[in-house]
């Protein structure tokens, strides 16, 4: 079966750095996605990792370790607008996304 | 990234009526479209997968006779909630699957439709 785990909620301070972890168990591997979802809105794409290592994109970076079934999303210089849910997702063999439950990130001034 | 639109963005209807939600891929051909439902403070839940020209595949627990899905073309899929009831009130999101400029198979999401059944 397939399973994705990520923390339910995290709190961080404006201007700080936060790391959101995701562990997954899949029968195959077709990459890993991170999405951001603000309340009442559809998810928006953040990153896609298919090779091991860190991919940096502005304030957001995503890391993947296929051997460990582990990924993290790193958010730097946090802004209040970063308060959202962050969803980890992996495609199955039919490219249907299997979703984690999402991590609600709360940013405090 | 590619653009997916949904219409309407918000709908309020009376119990017992049917509601149709459209999902369009505007600048690419989507061979597969997915319909999700999201209740407040919960994660996305896949309802069904539709491939152009064939019947949709529904997830366990989703009534196919209640949630009618039509995927008549490579750019349009519709979800009809028949005889809607208050418990059907939810945020319905579609996504379209296609390959981006990096030949990466990705899902592109519509903005979602907020359904409220009175």
């Amino acid at each position: 079966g397939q399973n994705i785990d990520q923390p339910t909620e995290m709190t961080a301070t404006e201007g700080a750095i936060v790391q959101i972890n995701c562990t997954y168990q899949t029968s195959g591997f077709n990459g890993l996605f991170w999405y951001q979802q603000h309340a009442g809105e559809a998810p928006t794409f953040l990153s896609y990792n298919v090779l091991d290592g860190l991919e940096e994109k502005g304030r957001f970076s995503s890391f993947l370790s296929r051997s460990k079934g582990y990924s993290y999303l790193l958010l730097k210089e946090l802004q209040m607008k970063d308060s959202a849910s962050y969803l980890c997702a992996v495609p199955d063999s039919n490219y249907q996304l299997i979703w984690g439950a999402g991590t609600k990130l709360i940013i405090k001034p | 990234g590619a653009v997916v639109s949904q219409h309407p963005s918000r709908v309020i209807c009376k119990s017992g009526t049917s509601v149709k939600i459209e999902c369009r891929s505007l600048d690419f051909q989507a061979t597969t479209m997915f319909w999700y439902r999201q209740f407040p403070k919960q994660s996305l839940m896949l309802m069904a997968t539709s491939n152009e020209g064939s019947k949709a595949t529904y997830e366990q627990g989703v009534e196919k006779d209640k949630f009618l899905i039509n995927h008549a073309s490579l750019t349009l899929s519709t979800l009809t909630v028949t005889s809607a009831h208050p418990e059907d009130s939810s945020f319905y999101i579609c996504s379209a699957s296609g390959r981006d400029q990096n030949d990466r198979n990705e899902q592109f999401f519509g903005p979602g439709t907020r359904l409220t059944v009175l």
Side-chain angles (χ1 to χ4, degrees), chain B residues 21-117:
Chain B
I21 303 170
E22 291 187 351
C23 177
R24 293 181 184 273
S25 58
L26 299 183
D27 52 0
F28 72 105
Q29 293 185 329
T31 53
T32 305
M33 287 188 171
F34 303 88
W35 285 96
Y36 293 88
R37 181 167 51 182
Q38 187 175 34
F39 293 106
K41 299 183 180 180
Q42 296 186 23
S43 185
L44 294 164
M45 292 179 59
L46 180 66
M47 298 176 66
T49 303
S50 74
N51 293 297
E52 184 263 339
S54 62
K55 291 183 178 181
T57 302
Y58 290 81
E59 295 299 299
Q60 192 172 8
V62 178
E63 301 174 57
K64 63 179 181 181
D65 294 330
K66 181 171 180 63
F67 298 98
L68 301 178
I69 292 174
N70 184 285
H71 191 165
S73 75
L74 287 172
T75 59
L76 173 65
S77 176
T78 60
L79 168 68
T80 302
V81 183
T82 61
S83 187
H85 291 284
E87 58 265 29
D88 298 323
S89 298
S90 186
F91 191 45
Y92 291 87
I93 306 172
C94 76
S95 70
S97 179
R99 293 199 175 270
D100 67 6
Q101 62 271 26
N102 296 315
D103 199 33
R104 176 183 62 205
N105 194 311
E106 187 185 332
Q107 287 191 23
F108 304 98
F109 285 88
T113 297
R114 174 74 61 192
L115 171 63
T116 302
V117 184

